[in-house]
């Protein structure tokens, strides 16, 4: 299956069209994360070539970002900035640091809740969403490391820990998708400000943010607090798997009508478990990640009607509040009502990064059969 999945990724990147017509957006940034991970894990030039071809269509020689407007204050737009940080370090091309600095300027004035974390977007005032932790905080830490700006690194750690404290649901050991500090949103609990359900992909974004931030904050005093959060979360997640090793769209309600094994969250958790194991945070985590990847390949990476291999069972999008004439109430029933989209990048990207982690583990430790055997 390894050769097959590699060919799938290559074809996907070859045929990829910018998610929003070429405008700077987080979805394209997700693909870039996958290509970087594959290149760093394998050293194969094709992944780097795909990356450069696509990024140079969005970052001009002057470091301008296609279709980007700072004053939209959209936290999603920060995620793809991790790629210019990477390419600045790798190539020394000044355009990339200029591009990253544009996004740093957004964060300098991007609105925040009183406790510190950034609003999700200007049009979602006073709200923190788990997705936004992945969109902004690893970027802050990685740019801080590149430029020697310790304040950015410390901001990232502090904002992550604060957001997790705000959004933690103690009875379940999980985290809620959204938090409204003003308790103005109809989806927000009037006492806690939290949205009502546990959406798997929101927790997946957060888990990836945690493991990436842990890697980017090596040697920092509060890194241990991040590790504690991840080591508390992963065993809870491990206990919520489906019988075949995946995770449900509404992660803690297997009996919910319409609930299903969702591929993007499963790939995100596979990546998080495997990377946590590589970072030495728990030897048992690797088995969970490997089993999740194997289950995705068997049950969701399948031919479509045309015969092309696609990743199935991906929730296209989900959120909170008004969007395109619809109110998203954050209920469990809402999350299972959202449409599915084969090969959506939000599923393919974490599959790439999880596969890259598996490749690193196999190449650096032992044969995959031995790993799967425990």
């Amino acid at each position: 299956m390894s050769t097959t999945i590699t060919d799938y990724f290559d074809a996907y990147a070859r045929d990829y069209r910018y998610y929003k017509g070429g405008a700077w957006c987080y979805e394209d940034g997700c693909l870039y994360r996958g290509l970087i991970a594959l290149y760093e894990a394998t050293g194969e030039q094709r992944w780097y070539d795909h990356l450069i071809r696509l990024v140079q269509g969005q970052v001009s020689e002057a470091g301008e970002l296609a279709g980007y407007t700072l004053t939209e204050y959209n936290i999603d737009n920060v995620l793809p900035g991790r790629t210019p940080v990477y390419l600045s370090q790798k190539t020394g091309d000044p355009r990339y640091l200029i591009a990253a600095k544009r996004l740093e300027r957004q964060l300098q004035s991007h609105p925040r809740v009183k406790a510190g974390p950034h609003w999700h977007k200007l049009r979602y005032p006073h709200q923190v969403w788990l997705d936004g932790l992945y969109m902004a905080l690893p970027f802050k830490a990685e740019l801080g490391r590149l430029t020697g700006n310790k304040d950015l690194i410390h901001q990232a750690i502090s904002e992550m820990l604060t957001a997790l404290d705000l959004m933690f649901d103690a009875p379940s050991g999980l985290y809620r998708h959204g938090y409204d500090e003003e308790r103005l949103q109809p989806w927000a609990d009037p006492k806690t400000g939290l949205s009502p359900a546990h959406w798997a992909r929101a927790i997946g974004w957060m888990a990836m943010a945690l493991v990436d931030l842990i890697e980017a904050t090596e040697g920092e005093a509060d890194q241990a607090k991040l590790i504690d959060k991840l080591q508390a979360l992963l065993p809870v997640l491990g206990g919520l798997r489906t019988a075949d090793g995946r995770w449900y769209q509404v992660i803690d309600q297997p009996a919910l009508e319409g609930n299903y094994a969702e591929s993007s969250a499963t790939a995100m958790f596979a990546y998080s478990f495997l990377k946590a194991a590589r970072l030495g945070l728990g030897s048992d985590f690797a088995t969970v990640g490997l089993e999740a990847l194997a289950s995705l390949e068997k049950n969701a990476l399948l031919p479509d009607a045309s015969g092309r291999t696609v990743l199935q069972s991906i929730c296209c999008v989900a959120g909170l509040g008004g969007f395109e004439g619809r109110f998203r109430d954050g209920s469990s029933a809402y999350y299972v009502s959202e449409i599915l989209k084969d090969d959506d990048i939000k599923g393919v990207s974490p599959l790439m990064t999880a596969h890259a982690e598996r490749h690193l583990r196999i190449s650096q430790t032992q044969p995959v059969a031995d790993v799967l055997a425990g």
Side-chain angles (χ1 to χ4, degrees):
M1 179 52 111
S2 180
T3 299
T4 301
I5 198 171
T6 300
D7 290 343
Y8 163 72
F9 292 147
D10 196 28
Y12 187 93
R14 180 196 66 215
D15 298 337
Y16 186 79
R17 298 293 179 267
Y18 295 121
Y19 203 92
K20 294 177 179 172
W24 187 254
C25 66
Y26 84 91
E27 292 91 348
D28 297 340
C30 287
L31 176 61
Y32 303 158
R33 294 302 308 153
L35 293 172
I36 290 169
L38 290 171
Y39 177 66
E40 288 293 315
T42 69
E44 292 183 19
Q45 186 66 29
R46 58 178 159 172
W47 309 123
Y48 187 74
D49 291 345
H50 285 312
L51 177 70
I52 290 295
R53 169 177 55 84
L54 291 163
V55 171
Q56 288 188 346
Q58 293 188 311
V59 181
S60 74
E61 292 186 5
E64 297 170 336
L65 305 173
Y68 168 75
T69 302
L70 184 153
T71 52
E72 287 180 2
Y73 291 114
N74 182 342
I75 208 75
D76 291 342
N77 287 336
V78 178
L79 170 67
R82 295 176 69 182
T83 302
V85 171
Y86 172 79
L87 291 175
S88 176
Q89 190 169 27
K90 186 167 183 63
T91 71
D93 187 329
R95 78 173 78 181
Y96 295 120
L97 185 56
I98 293 169
K101 288 285 190 177
R102 292 181 188 277
L103 297 166
E104 182 189 8
R105 284 198 294 276
Q106 174 186 325
L107 292 176
Q108 288 171 353
S109 55
H110 194 115
R112 298 172 180 266
V113 297
K114 297 181 183 71
H118 295 288
W119 291 6
H120 192 63
K121 298 179 184 179
L122 188 63
R123 62 190 178 95
Y124 297 130
H126 309 289
Q127 298 167 49
V128 180
W129 295 9
L130 288 180
D131 335 9
L133 306 182
Y134 182 71
M135 301 301 163
L137 301 186
F139 167 82
K140 278 193 177 186
E142 290 166 3
L143 181 61
R145 288 184 66 177
L146 176 67
T147 61
N149 186 341
K150 284 278 192 177
D151 183 59
L152 275 179
I153 299 172
H154 297 157
Q155 280 185 41
I157 295 172
S158 174
E159 289 161 22
M160 173 64 80
L161 293 172
T162 299
L164 294 183
D165 285 345
L166 291 172
M167 303 172 81
F168 185 58
D169 176 52
S172 66
L174 297 170
Y175 295 83
R176 299 291 176 85
H177 184 182
Y179 166 76
D180 170 21
E181 71 170 341
E182 297 294 337
R183 281 65 166 170
L184 295 174
Q185 300 304 314
W187 51 256
D189 182 279
K191 293 183 178 179
T192 66
L194 295 176
S195 58
H198 298 118
W199 179 36
R201 188 161 78 215
I203 301 170
W205 290 123
M206 180 271 288
M208 293 198 301
L210 257 179
V211 75
D212 286 359
L213 195 54
I214 288 167
E215 183 179 48
T217 55
E218 183 178 359
E220 298 298 327
D222 283 343
Q223 185 203 42
K225 295 180 181 178
L226 299 174
I227 292 172
D228 288 345
K229 296 290 188 184
L230 187 68
Q231 289 177 326
L233 173 66
L234 293 186
V236 175
L237 296 175
L240 294 172
R241 288 176 289 169
T242 65
D244 62 19
R246 293 180 287 170
W247 282 270
Y248 289 105
Q249 165 79 338
V250 180
I251 194 168
D252 57 342
Q253 295 189 38
L256 175 69
E257 183 177 358
N259 211 357
Y260 59 94
E262 201 278 327
S263 293
S264 67
T266 297
M268 290 174 176
F269 293 140
Y271 167 74
S272 301
F273 274 91
L274 284 166
K275 188 166 184 176
R278 177 168 63 82
L279 295 178
L281 305 182
S283 58
D284 293 342
F285 293 152
T287 300
V288 176
L290 290 166
E291 289 174 351
L293 264 184
S295 184
L296 276 176
E297 291 172 348
K298 177 182 178 181
N299 296 299
L301 196 62
L302 301 168
D304 64 8
S306 72
R308 178 169 179 147
T309 296
V310 297
L311 183 62
Q312 301 176 355
S313 298
I314 304 172
C315 174
C316 182
V317 68
L320 296 164
F323 182 71
E324 295 184 348
R326 179 187 185 192
F327 183 78
R328 303 170 298 182
D329 66 4
S331 66
S332 298
Y334 156 69
Y335 287 112
V336 298
S337 75
E338 283 287 8
I339 64 169
L340 306 184
K341 180 183 175 184
D342 289 350
D343 265 358
D344 191 273
I345 188 56
K346 296 181 286 294
V348 178
S349 167
L351 185 64
M352 288 176 165
T353 58
H355 176 69
E357 288 293 333
R358 177 173 60 185
H359 180 91
L360 285 171
R361 183 170 184 83
I362 294 169
S363 63
Q364 295 176 5
T365 57
Q366 53 188 320
V368 66
D370 294 344
V371 176
L372 285 169

